Amino acid sequence: MSGLLVVTAVPAEADAVRAGLTDPTVTVLPVGVGPAVAGAATARLLALAEGAGRPYRAVVSAGIAGGFVDRAPVGGTVLATRSVAADLGAESPTGFIPVEDLGMPAELLGGGSVVPADPGLLGALRTALPAATVGAVLTISTVTGTAASTAALADRHPDAVAEAMEGYGVAVAATQAGLPFAELRTVSNPIGPRDRGSWRMREAFAALTAAAAALR
């Protein structure tokens, strides 16, 4: 049996994680940007490992994220209590309708739009990273870039602390494989009107390297 599989979106995130690892049994691989490609690539990695007789024990989605102002500070570390497909559903005149509320049979929804983090894995990460902010991490396909959409997301998900683009897809792949899942992010920018000048990529990558010591 192999150890922990950590997947990131891009190689720079994978490099930052590897730089902080202390456990040689942890595998870190970039799988692409967005929930679809990340989920498909993670599922393939898990299937190949199982087929080779060396299945992974757990999966972590890791990388940088945007943080909700006053909930997760720039440069801080975030642990997800649950990974939420925040834009999986339908628009309506009265607001967003989550996919669970569209009247589809439960068997067509899989795990629905929310995948909780594994309690044991999340607990171990919280112990190792006591300063981390803990809450829901939203998975979106379009990065939030206006004050109106930021406010709508914050109102709809009062426990959300950050948003990224891969966690839910990775979570579904792990769940389908029957493996524990967790999501770890470090915050590079506040969520809101797009302002590249406010991004702190260097600080976020440094925080990701520091947090990687908890992945064992």
Side-chain angles (χ1 to χ4, degrees):
M1 179 175 282
S2 300
L4 178 69
L5 174 63
V6 179
V7 296
T8 69
V10 298
E13 292 169 319
D15 290 343
V17 172
R18 292 189 191 108
L21 286 178
T22 59
D23 186 343
T25 70
V26 177
T27 299
V28 186
L29 294 169
V31 293
V33 176
V37 67
T42 300
R44 181 174 183 272
L45 290 172
L46 296 178
L48 288 173
E50 185 173 356
R54 299 179 59 194
Y56 290 103
R57 296 179 179 178
V59 182
V60 172
S61 177
I64 61 175
F68 283 97
V69 175
D70 297 329
R71 297 184 187 179
V74 173
T77 298
V78 165
L79 295 171
T81 54
R82 57 195 187 118
S83 297
V84 182
D87 50 13
L88 182 59
E91 291 185 331
S92 80
T94 57
F96 181 81
I97 304 173
V99 68
E100 289 89 348
D101 297 340
L102 294 179
M104 297 181 185
E107 60 268 21
L108 297 182
L109 298 179
S113 62
V114 178
V115 180
D118 177 78
L121 188 52
L122 175 58
L125 290 172
R126 292 186 71 170
T127 298
L129 298 167
T133 301
V134 181
V137 175
L138 308 183
T139 299
I140 40 81
S141 296
T142 301
V143 175
T144 304
T146 68
S149 56
T150 301
L153 277 179
D155 289 344
R156 200 160 74 237
H157 302 281
D159 64 331
V161 293
E163 72 169 24
M165 301 182 75
E166 295 79 32
Y168 173 78
V170 177
V172 170
T175 300
Q176 292 289 324
L179 294 177
F181 165 82
E183 184 170 2
L184 183 158
R185 299 281 172 181
T186 56
V187 178
S188 60
N189 58 278
I191 299 171
R194 192 169 177 81
D195 175 15
R196 290 296 298 266
S198 69
W199 293 13
R200 298 293 180 265
M201 303 295 289
R202 182 178 299 176
E203 289 91 334
F205 281 125
L208 190 58
T209 296
L215 299 171
R216 58 174 71 93

